Amino acid sequence: VSRTVLLTAASLAVAGMTDATNATPMSIRQPMRELVSAKLHSHHYRLLSDPHFVRGHYVARSINPSGRVVLMEINPEDGALMGEILI
């Protein structure tokens, strides 16, 4: 996968985050944030932003184990980490 495709996907995910933040009440977002944070922490990632539902999966800005800022994709069905996109 080319870097251009990854950057385009990352920019679309970030653009979608602004719309998703205002649409979901805080009471629904908070438990998902805690679940995603626990899942990322178990893989040595740190959560930086609220997870947002984008095109069938959750996307969360985080710091990977080597200290780089990434967008993590999380499967909503089983909580599995689908991948990361360097920002």
Side-chain angles (χ1 to χ4, degrees):
V1 179
S2 72
R3 185 167 177 83
T4 306
V5 171
L6 290 177
L7 289 175
T8 303
S11 65
L12 287 173
V14 170
M17 286 181 192
T18 57
D19 296 334
T21 302
N22 297 328
T24 310
M26 180 56 83
S27 60
I28 294 172
R29 284 196 320 242
Q30 193 61 29
M32 183 53 62
R33 178 183 172 85
E34 293 170 4
L35 292 172
V36 169
S37 179
K39 185 66 172 183
L40 290 173
H41 184 69
S42 70
H43 289 277
H44 307 286
Y45 286 81
R46 274 190 305 168
L47 186 64
L48 291 179
S49 69
D50 287 334
H52 302 282
F53 194 75
V54 179
R55 296 185 180 159
H57 59 275
Y58 284 97
V59 177
R61 200 166 157 234
S62 59
I63 297 176
N64 69 6
S66 49
R68 300 176 105 179
V69 177
V70 296
L71 283 176
M72 287 301 301
E73 296 175 298
I74 300 109
N75 186 345
E77 294 176 9
D78 59 2
L81 299 181
M82 297 169 58
E84 69 178 38
I85 300 169
L86 290 174
I87 301 179

